[in-house]
Amino acid sequence: MSLPDTPPSDATPAPATSRAPAGARPAPACTLVIFGAHGDLTKRLLMPALYNLAGSGLLDPGFRIIGVDRVASTTAQWRDGLTEMMQSFTHDPNAEFHAPSIDSAQWGWVCERLEYVQADFGDLAQVRALGEKIPGNAIFYLAVSSRFFAPVVEMLGRAGLVTQADGHFRRVVIEKPFGADLKSAQELNRRILAVLDESQVYRIDHFLGKETVQNILAMRFGNLLFEPLWRNEFIDHVQITAAETIGVEQRGAFYEPTGALRDMIPNHLFQLFGMVAMEPPNSFSADTVRTSKEQLFEAVRPIAPTDAVRGQYGAGTVEGKPVIAYRESPGVAPDSHTETYVALKLHVDNWRWAGVPFYLRTGKSLGGRRTEVVVQFKKPPMMMFRDTETQELPPNRIILNIQPAQGLTVEMGAKRPGPKMDLAEVQVRFRYGDVFAQSPNVGYETLLYDCLTGDATLFQRADNIEAAWRAVDPVLKAWAGNADGLELYPAGATGPKGADELLERDGRAWYPLDGV
């Protein structure tokens, strides 16, 4: 699907091949500058998201995309490579973005607006020259390694490209990981905020772009049914799970210095925790929502190492396929003590959640793939059915299904048909696909649109980032440089034995990975 080198026409609106969301208007004209134009993030996630936004009619006719990288290439070559990648998604059902076909008019509209610039973002003269191509509004997307975040922002500042004037905005999107511990996160914030105002910084976590994650807020605050029960009077505990069946694959060199805790807990799982447990905000303005999260994060007691479990997968079988041990993966040290699994117990010292533990777990090469939040309720204060076979009824649960199932499940008791008062556990399910039309997306669509329109609600503020790192910092320090307590678990298992014992000592158990 090679397209000619034609300049974008400001008179040509995006081809709305699907109806734009109700009440949503096209974002203002803007130049999106992507540092790391040849990277995986750009090809596999950002371009499909822009393709979807174009198809929804949410991009202004004056929208432009400038890709910046050190790789020697031309606009035509970059565009053709992206086109080939987009076409490959139609053949790969396991890709983050999988569509039966690529609409040529929709993708062509995006391609008309692509421009490639070969530049070294460490070269002041080249960055200044890049600025001459960027009139008006601009967003700088740092799709680069985290070690370049601060240097790129500082170079943009030296080149004068992030100064906001004449009513135009200049914003910077920064990917995770935002720091590797509390100290490095604080230093990164210090360097970035020496150049930018907080309102210009969009710390992105694509997890928050998922409809099912955003639905947590809608479920809690849009229905009177749930919120009155959302407190320690009724809830026994909460489990937050992000389990993967895949291993590190070819990412061992990245994963070795990172590990499961840094990779998943202070960002993905803490964001789920924030949405589930924060106090109702006064409004859905960005600062109000993020302040509610911050108040929650500040109430989290720093996690004691005794409330943390780490594991590493060995050889095993996942979904009927053999899996080599983590230590045998490319880029991994043969004596590595990097964790591929972590389970934590959080204590929240506030009025709503005092006495309610939150259990978080995430891991690779496990026996089931699911991301979900399980809210388990206390048992009734009195068992009226003690003379029947219902004396040990299972507890009620609300399960927020994020992936692969998408929706909500309620587990409750119902009377079994017959003359006796015999209760059975039943499930009431809502699934997005049963109610709403769904289209392929990667989770970046909403976040990119929000950045273009200046809505920072789903982006993390500096204090949010630091509070999450502060909670896990004692565990990171305890684990640094030693393998004490690292448990091996076979690939295909549910995790290390210590993770089960973490809940067993409280008289609880993990919700099974092969559940709903």
Side-chain angles (χ1 to χ4, degrees):
M1 196 196 303
S2 181
L3 296 164
D5 288 316
T6 55
S9 169
D10 289 348
T12 307
T17 56
S18 61
R19 180 177 296 179
R25 297 181 178 179
C30 176
T31 300
L32 175 63
V33 181
I34 304 174
F35 289 100
H38 281 279
D40 220 39
L41 172 62
T42 300
K43 293 183 288 188
R44 292 188 175 275
L45 297 172
L46 296 185
M47 287 302 160
L50 292 169
Y51 166 83
N52 283 337
L53 287 174
S56 297
L58 293 177
L59 298 178
D60 187 89
F63 182 73
R64 298 170 60 232
I65 308 163
I66 298 178
V68 182
D69 215 322
R70 299 176 180 178
V71 178
S73 184
T74 65
T75 294
Q77 290 171 334
W78 184 50
R79 182 199 60 212
D80 290 346
L82 293 174
T83 300
E84 183 178 348
M85 177 65 75
M86 290 291 292
Q87 290 289 7
S88 73
F89 296 145
T90 64
H91 309 298
D92 184 1
N94 297 316
E96 293 93 339
F97 174 77
H98 175 65
S101 63
I102 301 298
D103 184 275
S104 58
Q106 187 173 324
W107 176 240
W109 190 93
V110 175
C111 285
E112 288 177 355
R113 286 153 175 79
L114 295 175
E115 180 180 357
Y116 181 78
V117 175
Q118 182 184 354
D120 184 340
F121 47 71
D123 187 311
L124 180 59
Q126 291 183 356
V127 174
R128 279 179 174 158
L130 174 65
E132 296 175 3
K133 297 176 174 287
I134 310 171
N137 298 326
I139 293 175
F140 300 93
Y141 200 114
L142 307 192
V144 295
S145 173
S146 60
R147 69 180 184 275
F148 297 121
F149 291 165
V152 173
V153 169
E154 289 167 344
M155 185 60 70
L156 290 172
R158 290 175 61 192
L161 301 192
V162 288
T163 300
Q164 302 187 112
D166 302 324
H168 296 130
F169 63 75
R170 295 293 170 101
R171 299 169 185 151
V172 178
V173 180
I174 300 176
E175 278 279 346
K176 79 172 187 76
F178 199 91
D181 53 23
L182 176 59
K183 183 178 179 180
S184 61
Q186 290 172 327
E187 175 63 11
L188 183 54
N189 274 327
R190 184 193 66 78
R191 292 176 66 179
I192 288 172
L193 295 177
V195 178
L196 302 168
D197 183 79
E198 176 65 43
S199 64
Q200 295 177 271
V201 185
Y202 286 69
R203 300 171 188 83
I204 195 168
D205 184 342
H206 75 275
F207 218 58
L208 295 186
K210 295 180 182 295
E211 293 288 352
T212 44
V213 173
Q214 296 171 48
N215 186 52
I216 296 173
L217 297 181
M219 182 275 295
R220 282 192 61 191
F221 305 130
N223 300 282
L224 191 59
L225 176 66
F226 300 107
E227 190 60 23
L229 303 177
W230 224 248
R231 58 192 68 250
N232 53 12
E233 296 170 67
F234 304 105
I235 293 178
D236 178 78
H237 72 279
V238 179
Q239 300 178 20
I240 302 176
T241 295
E244 298 179 271
T245 52
I246 62 170
V248 297
E249 311 301 327
Q250 303 301 313
R251 299 173 67 238
F254 158 79
Y255 207 82
E256 262 294 86
T258 305
L261 195 156
R262 287 185 173 93
D263 188 40
M264 294 290 291
I265 299 294
N267 37 72
H268 291 345
L269 267 65
F270 251 75
Q271 287 305 307
L272 288 178
F273 165 62
M275 288 188 162
V276 168
M278 71 180 186
E279 292 298 315
N282 295 332
S283 71
F284 274 102
S285 69
D287 273 343
T288 304
V289 171
R290 296 193 293 181
T291 296
S292 289
K293 286 184 182 179
E294 176 60 21
Q295 291 170 344
L296 171 68
F297 293 169
E298 288 179 351
V300 175
R301 198 181 307 167
I303 302 168
T306 53
D307 284 336
V309 174
R310 57 175 167 165
Q312 183 188 96
Y313 68 83
T317 303
V318 177
E319 297 178 333
K321 298 179 182 179
V323 175
I324 61 172
Y326 171 74
R327 292 176 179 175
E328 297 176 12
S329 302
V332 174
D335 59 348
S336 170
H337 55 262
T338 295
E339 78 282 357
T340 62
Y341 179 101
V342 61
L344 304 169
K345 179 182 178 181
L346 302 188
H347 299 272
V348 183
D349 294 329
N350 67 13
W351 193 279
R352 179 185 293 263
W353 296 115
V356 178
F358 285 76
Y359 301 100
L360 279 59
R361 62 173 169 170
T362 183
K364 291 187 174 294
S365 287
L366 297 176
R369 172 180 173 261
R370 61 185 55 245
T371 301
E372 65 189 9
V373 178
V374 178
V375 180
Q376 183 161 313
F377 289 84
K378 295 179 178 179
K379 292 197 174 183
M382 172 182 173
M383 294 304 295
M384 299 173 61
F385 311 106
R386 64 170 58 94
D387 294 330
T388 71
E389 298 178 4
T390 61
Q391 191 164 354
E392 293 301 324
L393 284 174
N396 298 148
R397 298 184 184 94
I398 293 176
I399 304 168
L400 309 173
N401 309 109
I402 296 168
Q403 65 180 25
Q406 299 181 9
L408 182 144
T409 304
V410 178
E411 293 187 349
M412 55 183 282
K415 181 184 178 298
R416 196 188 305 272
K420 296 178 62 178
M421 180 56 74
D422 186 13
L423 269 67
E425 184 180 29
V426 298
Q427 293 181 341
V428 181
R429 300 185 182 186
F430 153 67
R431 292 293 180 263
Y432 261 80
D434 295 339
V435 179
F436 303 110
Q438 294 183 297
S439 58
N441 69 84
V442 294
Y444 275 80
E445 292 82 356
T446 297
L447 299 174
L448 285 173
Y449 177 76
D450 285 353
C451 186
L452 287 164
T453 57
D455 184 350
T457 303
L458 297 177
F459 296 84
Q460 299 192 66
R461 210 166 56 188
D463 53 0
N464 294 172
I465 293 279
E466 293 178 15
W469 280 117
R470 190 173 289 110
V472 302
D473 210 47
V475 178
L476 287 172
K477 288 178 178 177
W479 289 355
N482 72 81
D484 293 344
L486 179 70
E487 299 181 53
L488 295 180
Y489 62 93
T494 58
K497 183 180 178 182
D500 294 330
E501 294 171 347
L502 180 67
L503 272 70
E504 287 171 0
R505 71 191 191 195
D506 296 335
R508 301 182 174 100
W510 291 109
Y511 192 78
L513 288 181
D514 59 355
V516 296

